[in-house]
């Protein structure tokens, strides 16, 4: 169990290295190569466990992608009967193409909008006489 947030505290007190972002980016870029090497070299039960973990990550990623993509859905529009419909429109069905976002994306948008919703007080104008 960690005793405290000593790493964050150190970073807060003394700051980070000047090239910390660059090092983090390079480490992230090397990760797929290291993972591939690990996958090639593992044998036996360790390989099975590693592949199982990678498969779970892949399925999770596919679910996230599927949840975030927009789906196009045909929605039929019922128009009230107002007079006769022209013959050139008789064979057509009134269909609108709509884009439906998944509930997860809508929920994330609501959370994002609510996160930064801070009440801002109105500033009262002051005359020059009050300032000086």
């Amino acid at each position: 169990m960690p005793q405290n947030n000593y790493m964050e505290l150190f970073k807060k007190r003394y700051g980070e290295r000047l090239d910390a972002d660059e090092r983090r980016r390079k480490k992230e870029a090397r990760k797929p190569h290291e993972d591939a090497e690990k996958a090639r070299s593992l044998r036996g039960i360790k390989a099975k466990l590693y592949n199982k973990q990678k498969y779970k990550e892949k399925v999770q990623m596919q679910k996230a992608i599927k949840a975030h993509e927009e789906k196009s859905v045909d929605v039929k529009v019922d128009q009230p009967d107002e007079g006769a419909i022209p013959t050139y429109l008789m064979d057509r069905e009134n269909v609108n193409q709509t884009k439906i976002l998944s509930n997860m994306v809508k929920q994330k948008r609501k959370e994002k909008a609510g996160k930064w919703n801070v009440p801002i007080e109105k500033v009262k104008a002051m005359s020059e006489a009050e300032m000086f």
Side-chain angles (χ1 to χ4, degrees):
M1 268 177 67
Q3 298 300 311
N4 209 342
N5 304 357
Y6 57 91
M7 293 181 81
E8 288 84 7
L9 190 61
F10 182 88
K11 194 184 297 184
K12 184 178 175 184
R13 284 182 185 158
Y14 304 109
E16 274 187 318
R17 293 173 57 119
L18 296 175
D19 64 342
D21 293 331
E22 185 72 12
R23 290 168 62 103
R24 210 174 291 123
R25 183 189 64 79
K26 286 184 177 182
K27 186 175 183 180
E28 189 78 18
R30 279 193 301 269
K31 190 172 182 345
H33 298 284
E34 293 169 359
D35 289 347
E37 177 60 35
K38 187 175 180 181
R40 281 195 299 270
S41 62
L42 285 176
R43 296 285 183 256
I45 189 73
K46 287 186 180 180
K48 283 186 176 183
L49 292 173
Y50 185 77
N51 287 333
K52 188 176 181 181
Q53 175 193 356
K54 283 301 210 181
Y55 179 73
K56 282 182 182 177
E57 289 174 9
K58 182 179 175 184
V59 168
Q60 195 70 21
M61 183 64 71
Q62 286 175 345
K63 284 182 181 177
I65 290 170
K66 191 174 182 181
H68 282 75
E69 72 184 11
E70 293 181 345
K71 301 172 188 170
S72 61
V73 178
D74 294 337
V75 177
K76 291 185 180 180
V77 178
D78 295 331
Q79 291 183 347
D81 296 332
E82 295 179 13
I85 300 175
T87 54
Y88 61 90
L89 293 176
M90 290 290 275
D91 58 334
R92 293 188 196 172
E93 288 187 29
N94 296 330
V95 176
N96 285 347
Q97 288 285 335
T98 60
K99 297 280 182 183
I100 296 179
L101 292 175
S102 65
N103 289 335
M104 182 181 278
V105 177
K106 288 180 184 175
Q107 186 66 30
K108 284 194 177 186
R109 283 185 181 168
K110 286 180 185 175
E111 288 174 6
K112 197 180 240 186
K115 189 184 288 184
W116 307 110
N117 195 4
V118 179
I120 300 173
E121 295 181 21
K122 293 189 177 185
V123 179
K124 191 177 111 179
M126 292 177 60
S127 66
E128 291 183 9
E130 290 176 13
M131 279 194 270
F132 299 111

